[in-house]
Amino acid sequence: MPDRVFFQPPQGWVGDVIPFSRDGELMLFYLLELRESPKPGTPWALVTTRDLVTFEDRGIALPHGTRGDADFNAYTGSIVEGADGTHHLFYTAQNPDRVGADGLPLQLVAHASSTDGMSTWDKHPEHTFGAPSGYESADWRDPFVFQDPSTGVWRMLLAARHQDGPDRRRGVIAQMTSRDLVTWEPVEPFWDPRRYITHECPEVFSIGKWWYLVYSEFSESFTTRYRIAHSPDGPWMVPDRDTIDGRAFYAAKSAELDGRRILVGWIASREGDTDDGAWQWAGTMSLLEARAGWDGSLAFSVPEEIIATFDESVELGLVPTALEAPDGYNAVVGTEPLPAQCYIRAEIEFEPGTTECGLLLRASEDGDQGYVIRLEPRRDRMVFDRWPRHRTGPAQWQVSGDVPHVIELERPADLAATSHVIEVVLDGDLAVIVLNREVCLSTRLYDDSHDRLGIFAGEGAVKFQNLTVRRRSTT
């Protein structure tokens, strides 16, 4: 198979990514997760790209500290360039053996700098600081630093928690300010919704007249969300569709590359490499492009450079491409194998009142087993689902999940119109699904028992036009 679409190091997994753009190059620093026992410290590694397709693995960029250092784990942060050209790296320092008054490991803000273009970093342990009064000492992480465009003051945002209030709603984006990138003073919180456990990996950026606050909801949803405002001081407004992707795509942060906003996160792996396994921390790196609408809302898609690498047509013997099922279900499955790595595109037009329609991935020849991409116009959502599920007993309802209600993943989607475009980038056990170049849903699909592509309709009539599958040529 040609090179993988999504980057993953030869040994280990990609944790939170810290993108930095310089001279047409996207530098993707990331937390290297090894999943070894006993658990080693966590360093920052680095991979770079200029075309969003090919990646150069630069190895370890910021080593973690020793077993006795505060930064035995060097967790998420950010990088800025000072007025003198020095680069400043702020990161989360954590050591399981260093605990606070509550008995939990301390989280601290640490500082390193580089005067050689980020080839090497000098750590400054004397600049390390923890949470001030009023905040929990075990949640003081993910420092994001930016310079206020109106005052020139450096502002640091942190994923933090109040010491008081309901446990699930103490999350706050705390704020520190500095004029020299060395001495930091606490000021009023940047955002304090009292809504989540905490808001991981916060960042702000602007596109045109709009400002964006992106954060990863560290609650039961584990979703990366965004808010919009007319200035970095808010007030922050909720867009109609405030999520960037689904449950499997997490901790997205971004950088501007040649006038484009590129978000980089990781698609989580699942325990045991099975569809029934629990989602795990860290996974495989994935890039999405964000585009701002007139109302400030963001649309997301796979960068066109990645799609262009799929340059060889594949015939799957999938006919017909118009289905009717006025009061039932109808599916057609191709006669030829679907490549493990490919790009799929389908223009779907359904009659008003249609209940459901979509694509079958890695389906059985009768279409009854496999993965499902389902548009549900009556619910205004796109669903990723699968069958069969793991059995927990002999009866038909004794399978994993609450069968009448459970689905794998879903995204809200505007399906008021009757014509839509679905794109899928499939790469081994990874898939990124895009609806109308607006809505993304990333996931894993480990079961390769079947290998067909299918189409289906439920309670309605659907046309699948310009249905194409392309793979990467091997020459």
Side-chain angles (χ1 to χ4, degrees):
M1 188 170 70
D3 291 341
R4 296 294 300 266
V5 178
F6 306 95
F7 172 79
Q8 189 172 320
Q11 285 82 37
W13 302 85
V14 174
D16 301 353
V17 183
I18 302 93
F20 189 89
S21 180
R22 179 182 65 177
D23 300 330
E25 180 180 59
L26 197 56
M27 306 180 70
L28 303 173
F29 297 89
Y30 67 92
L31 308 188
L32 177 59
E33 168 68 4
L34 295 179
R35 295 181 184 166
E36 296 176 354
S37 183
K39 186 172 176 58
T42 302
W44 283 27
L46 172 63
V47 63
T48 61
T49 182
R50 289 187 174 274
D51 59 7
L52 308 182
V53 173
T54 56
F55 298 90
E56 182 178 350
D57 191 346
R58 303 284 187 88
I60 301 299
L62 180 76
H64 64 79
T66 67
R67 186 74 240 187
D69 291 333
D71 66 344
F72 175 70
N73 290 308
Y75 287 147
T76 308
S78 60
I79 298 172
V80 295
E81 183 177 356
D84 62 354
T86 299
H87 289 90
H88 296 264
L89 186 158
F90 297 92
Y91 64 104
T92 307
Q94 192 253 26
N95 187 322
D97 295 333
R98 295 193 177 194
V99 300
D102 57 4
L104 299 175
L106 292 168
Q107 290 186 346
L108 310 168
V109 173
H111 179 209
S113 63
S114 175
T115 57
D116 60 4
M118 295 182 281
S119 294
T120 59
W121 295 95
D122 296 316
K123 295 182 179 181
H124 305 288
E126 69 277 11
H127 298 164
T128 301
F129 63 90
S133 176
Y135 295 105
E136 293 184 357
S137 61
D139 287 276
W140 188 248
R141 62 181 177 275
D142 306 344
F144 175 79
V145 176
F146 72 105
Q147 192 168 29
D148 191 295
S150 60
T151 66
V153 171
W154 294 99
R155 302 171 69 172
M156 177 186 291
L157 313 185
L158 294 124
R161 279 170 53 83
H162 292 291
Q163 286 183 325
D164 66 309
D167 187 65
R168 290 194 309 118
R169 305 191 185 281
R170 294 184 192 176
V172 57
I173 297 180
Q175 184 173 203
M176 311 284 284
T177 61
S178 175
R179 292 196 174 273
D180 60 4
L181 293 170
V182 173
T183 302
W184 294 89
E185 299 293 334
V187 294
E188 70 283 350
F190 185 82
W191 192 51
D192 193 8
R194 295 280 181 162
R195 180 168 174 79
Y196 304 116
I197 292 175
T198 193
H199 320 81
E200 295 193 302
C201 302
E203 73 161 357
V204 294
F205 57 83
S206 63
I207 301 177
K209 67 178 182 179
W210 293 99
W211 280 83
Y212 297 88
L213 166 63
V214 176
Y215 63 95
S216 290
E217 174 194 339
F218 186 72
S219 294
E220 63 277 1
S221 296
F222 289 98
T223 303
T224 303
R225 300 183 183 272
Y226 76 97
R227 297 290 185 264
I228 59 177
H230 292 292
S231 85
D233 294 315
W236 296 102
M237 299 174 286
V238 185
D240 287 342
R241 188 172 51 245
D242 72 333
T243 51
I244 290 175
D245 201 304
R247 165 67 177 87
F249 180 81
Y250 195 68
K253 300 185 75 171
S254 72
E256 183 181 296
L257 182 67
D258 298 329
R260 302 159 65 189
R261 179 60 54 172
I262 305 298
L263 288 98
V264 191
W266 42 268
I267 301 175
S269 58
R270 303 190 80 155
E271 189 173 352
D273 294 339
T274 69
D275 292 325
D276 277 301
W279 293 108
Q280 296 175 299
W281 186 85
T284 307
M285 187 182 295
S286 181
L287 282 65
L288 300 177
E289 182 171 358
R291 301 178 310 282
W294 64 270
D295 60 353
S297 62
L298 293 177
F300 303 94
S301 61
V302 175
E304 188 61 39
E305 292 91 332
I306 295 175
I307 294 174
T309 64
F310 295 90
D311 54 0
E312 185 177 286
S313 295
V314 178
E315 294 297 329
L316 296 176
L318 187 57
V319 291
T321 56
L323 301 178
E324 292 187 3
D327 186 23
Y329 176 87
N330 193 3
V332 175
V333 177
T335 59
E336 300 298 323
L338 179 70
Q341 183 188 78
C342 64
Y343 166 73
I344 305 164
R345 184 182 187 275
E347 299 172 13
I348 300 177
E349 184 176 349
F350 53 80
E351 289 188 356
T354 298
T355 296
E356 62 178 27
C357 58
L359 302 178
L360 306 174
L361 300 180
R362 295 185 181 160
S364 56
E365 293 183 8
D366 61 4
D368 197 44
Q369 297 186 12
Y371 300 94
V372 183
I373 301 170
R374 186 169 65 242
L375 301 185
E376 299 180 354
R378 297 185 182 186
R379 293 189 173 104
D380 270 338
R381 69 178 184 176
M382 176 174 67
V383 164
F384 177 80
D385 215 343
R386 63 183 171 94
W387 191 262
R389 293 180 180 275
H390 174 68
R391 281 190 174 272
T392 60
Q396 85 270 12
W397 66 84
Q398 291 175 311
V399 296
S400 63
D402 182 9
V403 176
H405 305 287
V406 75
I407 55 174
E408 280 294 293
L409 297 165
E410 69 173 292
R411 293 298 322 281
D414 182 0
L415 299 178
T418 57
S419 183
H420 303 274
V421 176
I422 290 180
E423 298 172 279
V424 183
V425 175
L426 187 60
D427 187 23
D429 62 5
L430 292 159
V432 178
I433 304 159
V434 183
L435 177 65
N436 298 330
R437 293 291 177 98
E438 293 180 348
V439 179
C440 290
L441 198 162
S442 303
T443 189
R444 298 270 176 177
L445 53 180
Y446 289 103
D447 189 352
D448 58 1
S449 302
H450 308 289
D451 60 3
R452 303 302 168 90
L453 176 69
I455 56 178
F456 71 93
E459 296 166 345
V462 184
K463 293 180 181 178
F464 295 82
Q465 304 178 90
N466 298 316
L467 178 58
T468 59
V469 178
R470 300 199 303 266
R471 61 187 169 199
R472 288 172 158 180
S473 56
T474 56
T475 57

